[in-house]
Amino acid sequence: MTTKRHLIIGMHLAVNGEGKKGALIDEHIAFAKRAEAAKLDFVFKADYLIAHPELIAKMKGTVGLDPSFLMATVARETKQIGLVTTVSTSFNPPYIIARQLQSLNWISEGRLGWNLVTSIDGASNFSNELMPSSEERYAKATECKDVVQRLWHSNPYEILEVDGDLEKIKELVKPINHDGEYFHVKGPLNIPMQPAGDIPLFQAGASDTGRQFAAAVSNAIFAATPDIEVGIELRNDLRKRAVELGRSADDIRLLPGLYFFIGDTYEEALEMHRKAHEHLTIERRYIALESVIGMDIRHLALMDCVTANMLPPENQKVRSKTHAHLVRRYIIENEPTVEELLERPEVIGSAHLVAIGTPQDIVNQIVNFYEKGAMDGFIAVPGGPAKSLDLFFSDVIPNLVERGLFRADYEGSTLRSHLGLDV
């Protein structure tokens, strides 16, 4: 029996305190409950291991908690929605990762997902060494992921049924004796596996190394695809790589971020977007562009065009290869003016697909991306005032349900079932 696939829809757990300060636990719980009432597949929380001044300024007094602790709280107040936390493989030992994630999976009754990141900065908070290369971080992530999954299976859930039988416990719970390049772990894990099965893996690598890693291990892939051509190319490439690695192309679920601003009219939504970014001075935009592709264009007039021959060498060290690739591609294909380039979402702080307009405009954009093969779903990233989020829940999601692109109710109670992994 085959099951018709529908859009997979998650949402970034981004709470606007509207003047309130602190951790805003009740607000996070209310936000997650609202997403659950809309039958979204999961809520997701990103994480950063350094104190970014720009991020602190953007949060306006909201405390950025460790996402796993936050998800443990949200898990106790929700019933079915998936909960995707973020944990870096570059700085956390696999035994701790395995134990904490399996604990969260028990607390949530099988609703946990792991956003596996390699981190692009933060090394100075863990050692005196420089940040490893992207290739080294992914090699370490591959080994870490394998060790974590072996640890999960080293203590199977069947152990709960042996009723104190010591010999049976010794038979089922066994060390893994891992001796690798980065980790040496005996095991077994001291917590049994949750009966829901393997915790789904999320990943967001878009460099060549990152794509290969994502195609090999991910159940869902977060993506920065600001236009449809980028989405189509990335999804096709990941599906091709998955097949070459012995997986099915349908194992790939590409979920771009959808940074939305929704109003009753397009003009109202556009004004929401303008106000959300009006704090970014032109100097901050110049600085942001330099951090993305190492390019200083202050000597050019705002109406001057930026052309491909102005680009710096592609092999230079940049903060994010994903963002650098997107900006370079945009310059090569469009030769934008300086003003246009400084308005790009990758430069002003988001490489997501930016959706601006009425609820119908947003739905049409989603449907176009989905039908053209540029996404399998999306991560909703709320932008603008509360009205924008209200319209997303009241108009956008119901419209997708009416079109048969999203289910009207949950078909299971675990994240694996939401993602279609148990079919």
Side-chain angles (χ1 to χ4, degrees):
M1 182 184 75
T2 60
T3 301
K4 183 180 182 296
R5 293 182 67 172
H6 55 71
L7 283 164
I8 295 168
I9 304 178
M11 178 166 273
H12 185 225
L13 193 54
V15 170
N16 184 345
E18 297 182 346
K20 296 181 180 179
K21 314 294 182 185
L24 306 182
I25 298 298
D26 291 341
E27 286 78 3
H28 281 91
I29 291 170
F31 188 105
K33 284 185 173 182
R34 194 175 185 187
E36 185 171 61
K39 313 304 178 184
L40 300 193
D41 293 299
F42 60 88
V43 288
F44 152 73
K45 193 68 174 176
D47 194 25
Y48 305 92
L49 296 175
I50 68 172
H52 288 287
E54 293 83 4
L55 181 61
I56 294 171
K58 187 177 180 179
M59 293 175 69
K60 298 180 180 178
T62 302
V63 176
L65 300 175
D66 182 301
S68 296
F69 282 94
L70 180 61
M71 289 302 184
T73 302
V74 172
R76 298 300 298 158
E77 302 292 335
T78 53
K79 298 295 183 184
Q80 289 179 282
I81 193 165
L83 309 169
V84 180
T85 189
T86 299
V87 181
S88 174
T89 56
S90 293
F91 308 118
N92 295 290
Y95 195 93
I96 295 298
I97 295 175
R99 187 167 187 251
Q100 290 182 345
L101 292 180
Q102 200 59 253
S103 296
L104 268 174
N105 212 26
W106 277 103
I107 293 169
S108 66
E109 298 185 306
R111 292 185 285 135
L112 189 73
W114 176 18
N115 177 35
L116 188 162
V117 299
T118 62
S119 301
I120 59 174
D121 47 29
S124 59
N125 290 327
F126 296 89
S127 71
N128 293 323
E129 299 177 3
L130 296 175
M131 198 71 195
S133 67
S134 174
E135 291 73 20
E136 184 178 350
R137 295 199 310 273
Y138 277 112
K140 187 175 183 180
T142 299
E143 184 178 334
C144 182
K145 186 275 302 182
D146 289 343
V147 173
V148 167
Q149 290 183 322
R150 289 176 63 195
L151 284 168
W152 286 339
H153 286 269
S154 70
N155 193 336
Y157 71 86
E158 288 88 353
I159 202 69
L160 301 175
E161 306 297 330
V162 303
D163 200 26
D165 186 329
L166 186 58
E167 293 305 314
K168 193 67 175 178
I169 291 171
K170 290 180 179 179
E171 178 184 333
L172 291 173
V173 182
K174 295 183 177 179
I176 65 171
N177 294 318
H178 176 82
D179 186 15
E181 181 178 359
Y182 297 99
F183 304 107
H184 308 276
V185 183
K186 180 181 179 180
L189 193 62
N190 62 347
I191 180 172
M193 191 170 183
Q194 216 278 342
D198 281 315
I199 294 171
L201 299 182
F202 292 70
Q203 222 279 318
S207 64
D208 185 70
T209 305
R211 290 184 183 202
Q212 193 69 9
F213 180 75
V217 308
S218 296
N219 300 118
I221 297 161
F222 296 157
T225 58
D227 58 59
I228 195 166
E229 289 78 15
V230 173
I232 292 171
E233 186 278 327
L234 178 58
R235 183 171 180 268
N236 287 342
D237 183 55
L238 288 168
R239 288 168 66 85
K240 177 175 177 289
R241 290 173 187 252
V243 171
E244 291 172 349
L245 291 165
R247 303 178 75 195
S248 165
D250 289 335
D251 288 339
I252 297 300
R253 298 160 181 83
L254 185 69
L255 310 178
L258 184 79
Y259 186 36
F260 63 84
F261 297 81
I262 311 174
D264 293 325
T265 65
Y266 174 79
E267 290 70 25
E268 181 186 15
L270 190 61
E271 179 63 12
M272 290 177 179
H273 183 269
R274 187 194 68 78
K275 286 187 175 180
H277 301 94
E278 63 184 357
H279 64 287
L280 295 175
T281 65
I282 190 168
E283 179 58 26
R284 287 185 64 180
R285 293 169 191 249
Y286 281 133
I287 293 171
L289 180 63
E290 283 186 90
S291 73
V292 172
I293 59 172
M295 187 178 190
D296 183 359
I297 56 173
R298 291 178 180 83
H299 62 287
L300 299 175
L302 288 177
M303 297 311 296
D304 286 345
C305 288
V306 182
T307 59
N309 64 334
M310 298 179 184
L311 287 167
E314 193 169 2
N315 61 355
Q316 67 178 328
K317 185 176 179 60
V318 294
R319 186 171 183 273
S320 169
K321 290 185 178 180
T322 299
H323 288 194
H325 173 74
L326 293 172
V327 174
R328 294 178 71 94
R329 176 172 173 166
Y330 176 72
I331 291 172
I332 292 169
E333 295 181 355
N334 298 278
E335 295 196 350
T337 65
V338 170
E339 187 173 34
E340 289 171 334
L341 182 58
L342 295 180
E343 290 287 339
R344 285 298 294 178
E346 304 95 324
V347 175
I348 64 175
S350 173
H352 299 307
L353 166 62
V354 180
I356 302 172
T358 67
Q360 192 61 54
D361 292 334
I362 306 306
V363 169
N364 290 342
Q365 192 168 359
I366 293 168
V367 171
N368 186 39
F369 267 65
Y370 185 58
E371 291 183 344
K372 295 287 180 61
M375 65 162 64
D376 296 289
F378 58 89
I379 310 295
V381 182
K387 179 178 180 178
S388 178
L389 184 61
D390 292 342
L391 288 171
F392 177 82
F393 283 125
S394 66
D395 290 42
V396 173
I397 294 299
N399 193 307
L400 292 172
V401 173
E402 289 174 10
R403 292 187 179 214
L405 295 176
F406 193 58
R407 44 162 174 62
D409 203 351
Y410 288 115
E411 298 167 355
S413 60
T414 68
L415 181 54
R416 289 186 61 84
S417 66
H418 300 344
L419 298 177
L421 296 176
D422 292 332
V423 174

